[in-house]
Amino acid sequence: MTRWGMAIDTDRCTGCGACAVACHAENNIQTVGEEEAGKGRAMHWMRIERYYEGVFPDIKVRFQPVLCQHCAHAPCEPVCPVYATYRTPEGLNAMVYSRCIGTRYCANNCPYTARYFNWFSPEFPAPLERQLNPDVSVRPAGVMEKCTFCVQRIQDVQDVAQTEDRPVRDGEIKTACSQSCPAQAITFGDLDDPASLVAQLGRTERATHLLEDLSTEPSVTYLRGGR
Amino acid sequence: MAGPAASVHEEALLRPLSSFRPKLFVGSLLTGLLVGVLFYSWGYQIVNDIGVAGINRPVFWGFYIVNFVFWIGISHAGTLISAILRVTQAEWRRPVTRCAEAITTFALLIGGLFPLIHLGRPGVFWYMMPIPTERGLWPNFRSPLMWDVLAITTYLTGSVLYLLLPMIPDFAIIRDKAMREHPKSLRTLFFRVAAIGWRGTPQQWFSLEAGIRTMAVVIIPVAISVHTIVSWDFAMAIQPMWHSTIFGPYFVVGAIYSGVAVLMVAMYLLRKGLGIGEYLNDKVFNNLGLMFLAFALLWGYFTFAEHLTVWYGNEHAERAVFDARISGEFAPLFWTMIVVNVLIPLAILPFPKGRKPLGTAIVGLGVLVGMWIERYLIVVGTLSFPRLDFNAGSYTPSWVEIGILVGSVGLFGFLYFGFLQLAPIVSLWEVREGEHIKNRQAPAQQHALHPASEEA
Amino acid sequence: MPDGRLHAVFTTSADARTALNRLGQDGVAHENVEVRSSVPLEHDIIPVGSKLRSRIPWTSIVGATLGGTAFFLMVKLTSEAYPLPTGGMPIVPLPTTGVVTFEGLAIGAILTTVATVLLECGLPGLKKPGPLDHHLALDHVLVSVTCDEGASTAWAVKAIETARD
């Protein structure tokens, strides 16, 4: 079996935001504008949270990229009345836009606040419409969305591997965020393959999970505090 | 027997049904305007998308869910209270049941509207209906929202039938009267249809009463399940101060509390406006006032228990929500709620003089405000403080949300004014039955055998 | 007496009962007697020989069982026909199914109760209103006897005499 997962090395993260921008471009995420963002409606499937440790002047900023954690026991899934979000056999927390009716219950029940809602229809003023990714649908107003682990890229690589009659190689799939990270802090791969890099990183001493005590069993591992 | 004596007062009940009442007309007109506000605001939102509301991330739920919980809570005024009183055979219930059950029906209709208003894509709300389609996909019955759909449908069906069943003999009384007085008028035709051919034979009475008794027994657990399930919309979520086992009973108590409150206000207005103090008399207010007091104490106790647990547990995410309530940005609302929901009721209701119509109505108004605030604090208070502090947010309602709230109050009034003109607001036959029972228990009076009239 | 019925209006249920007893003594079958009132007096005044029966609450219990079973099966079969795992839960978790089944029990009971009431009462009924129905509105008791013309006149005379006693 395959279980897609990610490891994010927060010790490497510089907080540059390249991942968030790449995600926008890859996944046709709308930019809501200053006014809407001021209302708390900015949409970034991948966001960089900043936490400050210590007291000025002895202060340290920690960056924490947060995206959908693709939990094995995702609290968002069972509360949806119309199965718009469920767990795929490959361990993805899938979001089916056409089923979503916009109750927003899933977003309320996500402890990571990783879900984003289309309050209005997306607009891509010229020439932005030219950079839309044809592999990803544009979501209408009233629909929930969130990180998909770049499912379209996974699909692509799997298709190629299938035609070449071979298994998907470790590191062959790169999500937009991991591809664009200059510090190479983001690793993507199959957690069920013990030899994969992401599984190896998950076994190191630095591996932690976000809000682990909620037993949501996230597929994203954070690496921090290394020697 | 109570025949003619009862009829004198009954005139006051039947008047709104048979003639033009300026007060009712003005009331309908004003509330009708508010209904316009409701549908204008909602229409504006449908055309311009859900974003015209003030909700955002992380406060994904706002006024609409608050109003939903509020109106569903109000709906516990009627059917539940009247069922409890019927099952316990409280004699003083007789004048109260009808006006309370009507509150339930209309409040449920309005409450049921809010999830629709709330949806991001209201056009496909039917994805939640358990109907076979070519998609092959049915709703997810693991979702508390689906339980809501089923529970509220059940409760609405039950409440409407529970309101209508005892109305059939009343419609028959009015029909029989009207057939003699204005056999050709449209109103008479309406009552003829509404009475669906009721004759009042012993068998009919026997079956009807058996039916009402059984409905009362069934509807009590249904009502409790409805507000429990509404509370589970929150309690099933692992969010701070939502994920609480006390929420089921806490919400049920709060719902009945707000239900009694609205009943108090409505009864006061009915008594003043229709001059039916003979029915909604001081004894009724006193008894319901005692019930009101009991629920004030219960609600206060639950609120304390809920907050004590959170404070003592001292968990980081929960404390953020708790502190915002007790001393932070939500403190003014929280303490207003404590004043109107606990302090004022406890200052007025324990005293017999406080349990007069005016006193209970004033307390009732306060409790309505307080219970709305309670739901606001639960919905917005928790959502403003997600577990990852970075995402903390705030919420300001837009004019659309305020318009819909105000409009929903108008819609309730509008429906209720309409109801007053279609059915007697006090059950005629149940009050008459009460008179008969009273007379039977009184020392037997001698009646001359006296056939009133005969016809061949 | 165009409809072949004798109607009598009583202001008290005691009088109505006396009249019904006499009708019984006269050997009138209870099917031919109709008693009507605007309040439930059924235990005071029923025609001699008639029996009041209701199938409630037994039909309600049957209805509840059917409703509960239907809802349970709806959840089980539809979830299994299109199984989508969510939140690490089983496809048909008993706790959530229980909640839905409960509502099925309730709606089944409610609908069958009302259906039973309507059926037993013969509602909606299409009988035309009678000439004396307004007395019902005044809280009087109306007794009608179906009979042939001669008998009704005799009874009427007798009843009036009784009233003078």
Side-chain angles (χ1 to χ4, degrees), chain B residues 142 180 203-204 207 225 432, chain C residues 38 86 103 120 134 137:
Chain B
R142 289 161 237 162
R180 184 160 175 99
Q203 178 61 54
Q204 285 190 329
S207 293
S225 83
R432 284 181 180 183
Chain C
S38 73
T86 60
E103 298 300 333
E120 289 181 347
H134 58 278

Side-chain angles (χ1 to χ4, degrees), chain A residues 39-41 47 49 51 78-81 83 98-105 107-109 113 116 119-120 141, chain B residues 48-49 51 53 55-57 60-61 118 120-121 127 137-138 140 142-143 145 233 237-239 383 386 390-391:
Chain A
K39 286 185 191 163
R41 292 173 176 180
R47 64 168 183 262
E49 301 192 346
Y51 293 103
V79 297
C80 176
Y83 284 120
S98 56
R99 275 185 209 150
C100 177
I101 60 176
T103 67
R104 308 190 281 291
Y105 198 172
N108 277 351
N109 206 13
T113 328
Y116 298 84
W119 301 99
F120 293 105
Chain B
N48 294 297
D49 290 337
I55 28 186
N56 55 51
R57 194 186 72 95
F60 286 97
W61 288 358
H118 164 87
R121 296 205 298 163
Y127 284 6
L137 180 65
W138 284 62
N140 177 9
R142 289 161 237 162
S143 167
L145 293 187
D233 288 346
I238 49 165
Q239 299 298 11
L383 291 178
F390 181 79
N391 301 290

